[in-house]
């Protein structure tokens, strides 16, 4: 099989690594990829947001499958362009990707499908935003309706901060804001594959969104993740499939916009039961890095089955008994003002640690064969081991070997879970 992966992050590196281990895969390509992905795949300097260019590349390569990683190309219709060119694609249409591209749309689908979530108020006017904030009270939850690169959601006790965010979102062209109740409880990410009809869950993971230890500081794209979740209730996955994923996939099919790809169910386990915090229309980053580290079933056949309506015939997925922990190494200034261009050292030394692999995110090729930072989240260092404590130890041993001036990382990823 020839496969083209679209995207540049550690999630796409994790996907490429898993695909490279599938004996069915003969050739891997990435658009545009990064230096880490370049060790496994041929890189193509194609704009991942340009559907026509991605479709033309897939056709010229004779790709059997295109896997679209990030949300922006999906919302921009890249999967539609590839599908229209007759190439199987793992990733939803632009219309189906609205489950991530519009929070208000996702709420509408959830209401129609009977999916448990916080009741929202969608506002388009500043005065309505003020009224909604006062109706719900603190902690205030304000979500930009559209894609906002991880900066769309503000949860705060401070009404002024909540209002400021709402006004900033409303000031955008066509700006809309979702205000809703705070969902109190531990969060779980569950990825559910769909071929438009059938659903297949992966294993749950947890990520760490705040930049600082003990969940302090601003939100980020994600500073680390782990799986399995020893504290998760029995039956959680079956419950989410039955009450969230299947009804949502059924509702999207009923509307004539079937969801093909991965439905990222962001969940809160509240005292009142499991609730959806958000949907995303793609794999989570950094959760994918740990989920795929445990997948024993070769990945290419699974993604191709999802892309071609074959998930119903797929044998059950197999998983290793191992645990996996990933720690994100972020550049100086992330998330507010990431510095780029710093030389990264220790990549080989980190990867030589038993149970460790290093996935590239914001990296670029520097002079004389060096690798330099090129974004906020620079690396995902993944550790695996027989349990979370061992996986965690491995991941942090890898991180210790990385040199990147001014970098920072959280030191508490999976700490509490590893002590259970
Ligand atoms: N880990 C959060 C996300 O992928 O959106």
């Amino acid at each position: 099989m020839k496969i083209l992966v679209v995207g540049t992050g550690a999630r796409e590196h994790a996907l490429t690594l898993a695909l490279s281990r599938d004996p069915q895969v003969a050739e891997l390509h990435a658009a545009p990829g990064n230096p880490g992905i370049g060790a496994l795949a041929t890189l193509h300097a194609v704009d991942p947001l340009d559907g026509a260019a991605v479709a033309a590349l897939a056709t010229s390569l004779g790709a059997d499958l295109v896997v679209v990683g990030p949300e922006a190309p999906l919302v921009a219709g890249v999967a539609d362009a590839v599908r229209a060119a007759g190439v199987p694609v793992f990733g939803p249409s632009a219309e189906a990707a609205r489950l991530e591209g519009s929070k208000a749309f996702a709420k509408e689908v959830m209401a129609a499908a009977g999916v448990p979530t916080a009741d929202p108020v969608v506002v388009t006017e500043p005065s309505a935003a003020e009224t909604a904030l006062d109706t719900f009270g603190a902690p205030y939850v304000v979500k930009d309706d559209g894609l906002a690169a991880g900066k769309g959601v503000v949860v705060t006790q401070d009404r002024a901060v909540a209002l400021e965010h709402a006004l900033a979102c409303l000031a955008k062209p066509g700006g809309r804001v979702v205000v809703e109740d705070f969902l109190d409880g531990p969060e779980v990410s569950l990825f559910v594959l769909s071929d438009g009809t059938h659903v297949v869950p992966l294993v749950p993971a947890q990520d760490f969104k705040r930049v600082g230890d003990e969940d302090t500081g601003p939100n980020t794209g994600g500073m680390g993740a782990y799986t399995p979740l020893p504290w998760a209730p029995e039956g959680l996955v079956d419950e989410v499939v039955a009450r969230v994923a299947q009804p949502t996939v059924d509702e999207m099919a009923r509307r004539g916009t079937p969801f093909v790809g991965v439905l990222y169910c962001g969940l809160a386990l509240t005292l009142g039961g499991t609730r959806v915090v958000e949907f995303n229309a793609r794999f989570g980053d950094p959760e994918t890095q740990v989920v795929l580290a445990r997948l024993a079933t070769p990945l290419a056949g699974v993604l191709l089955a999802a892309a071609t309506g074959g998930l119903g015939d797929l044998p059950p997925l197999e998983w290793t008994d191992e645990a996996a922990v990933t720690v994100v190494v972020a550049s100086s200034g992330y998330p507010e003002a990431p510095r780029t261009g710093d030389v990264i050292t220790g990549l080989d030394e980190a990867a030589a640690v038993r149970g460790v692999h290093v996935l590239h995110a914001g990296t670029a090729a520097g002079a004389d064969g060096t690798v330099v930072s090129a974004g906020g989240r620079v690396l995902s260092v993944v550790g695996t081991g027989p349990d979370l404590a061992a996986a965690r130890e491995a991941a942090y041993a890898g991180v210790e070997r990385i040199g990147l001036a001014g970098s920072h990382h959280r030191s508490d990823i999976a700490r509490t879970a590893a002590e259970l």
Side-chain angles (χ1 to χ4, degrees):
M1 227 191 280
K2 279 188 202 172
I3 302 182
L4 170 63
V5 176
V6 177
T8 60
R11 166 186 47 211
E12 287 75 32
H13 193 174
L15 285 162
T16 308
L17 180 64
L19 291 168
S20 75
R21 292 179 170 156
D22 185 334
Q24 272 192 287
V25 175
E27 260 182 53
L28 279 167
H29 298 265
N34 64 37
I37 296 172
L40 304 165
T42 306
L43 303 185
H44 301 268
V46 164
D47 178 358
L49 294 173
D50 184 340
V54 173
L57 175 63
T59 306
S60 72
L61 293 170
D64 301 293
L65 176 67
V66 175
V67 178
V68 183
E71 60 275 22
L74 294 167
V75 170
V78 168
D80 304 77
V82 174
R83 217 168 263 127
V87 181
V89 56
F90 181 85
S93 65
E95 188 56 30
R98 289 181 70 212
L99 283 176
E100 175 163 2
S102 166
K103 305 271 183 236
F105 175 75
K107 290 287 187 181
E108 181 200 311
V109 170
M110 283 189 252
V115 170
T117 185
D119 284 337
V121 171
V122 182
V123 300
T124 54
E125 297 293 334
S127 62
E130 295 216 46
T131 306
L133 290 176
D134 293 335
T135 304
F136 286 110
Y140 302 98
V141 180
V142 180
K143 298 180 172 178
D144 194 339
D145 180 52
L147 291 186
K151 298 198 174 98
V153 179
V154 163
V155 179
T156 175
Q157 295 286 344
D158 188 332
R159 186 183 182 281
V161 171
L163 183 59
E164 188 186 5
H165 181 59
L167 297 181
C169 299
L170 291 175
K172 296 180 190 172
R176 289 202 296 182
V177 160
V178 174
V179 183
E180 64 184 41
D181 258 335
F182 175 63
L183 293 172
D184 197 6
E187 295 199 357
V188 173
S189 303
L190 182 68
F191 306 150
V192 181
L193 308 180
S194 171
D195 60 7
T197 307
H198 309 94
V199 298
V200 173
L202 306 188
V203 291
Q206 189 175 49
D207 78 341
F208 293 72
K209 292 200 172 79
R210 302 266 180 184
V211 73
D213 282 1
E214 316 299 340
D215 291 332
T216 53
N219 264 334
T220 69
M223 294 297 290
Y226 69 94
T227 180
L229 311 181
W231 47 268
E234 277 283 315
L236 176 68
V237 172
D238 290 344
E239 181 202 353
V240 175
V241 166
R243 297 191 60 213
V244 175
Q246 190 69 64
T248 301
V249 166
D250 291 347
E251 173 63 17
M252 294 303 285
R254 191 191 66 73
R255 291 171 181 236
T257 52
F259 186 92
V260 174
V262 55
L263 182 65
Y264 169 142
C265 302
L267 308 158
L269 310 190
T270 75
L271 287 178
T274 305
R275 301 277 182 273
V276 174
V277 177
E278 63 174 356
F279 279 148
N280 293 315
R282 39 84 193 170
F283 284 109
D285 186 346
E287 299 97 310
T288 302
Q289 289 86 301
V290 289
V291 169
L292 293 184
R294 293 184 54 210
L295 181 65
T297 304
L299 183 63
V302 177
L303 300 187
L304 184 64
T308 54
L311 279 185
D313 302 324
L314 199 70
L317 297 181
E318 290 176 19
W319 299 91
T320 71
D321 289 334
E322 295 216 302
V325 173
T326 190
V327 178
V328 169
V329 176
S331 57
S332 172
Y334 178 76
E336 288 90 357
R339 191 174 78 196
T340 59
D342 289 304
V343 173
I344 304 165
T345 59
L347 289 166
D348 292 341
E349 291 83 348
V353 177
R354 188 180 168 81
V356 171
H357 58 278
V358 180
L359 300 170
H360 290 224
T363 67
D368 304 328
T370 60
V371 178
V372 299
S373 60
R377 292 189 294 171
V378 179
L379 302 168
S380 256
V381 181
V382 183
T384 56
D387 55 27
L388 282 174
R392 188 170 187 275
E393 200 178 318
Y396 279 106
V399 169
E400 267 176 32
R401 285 159 175 79
I402 301 291
L404 173 62
S407 70
H408 58 98
H409 61 270
R410 279 184 65 155
S411 65
D412 63 346
I413 305 298
R415 186 177 61 202
T416 307
E419 286 165 359
L420 292 175

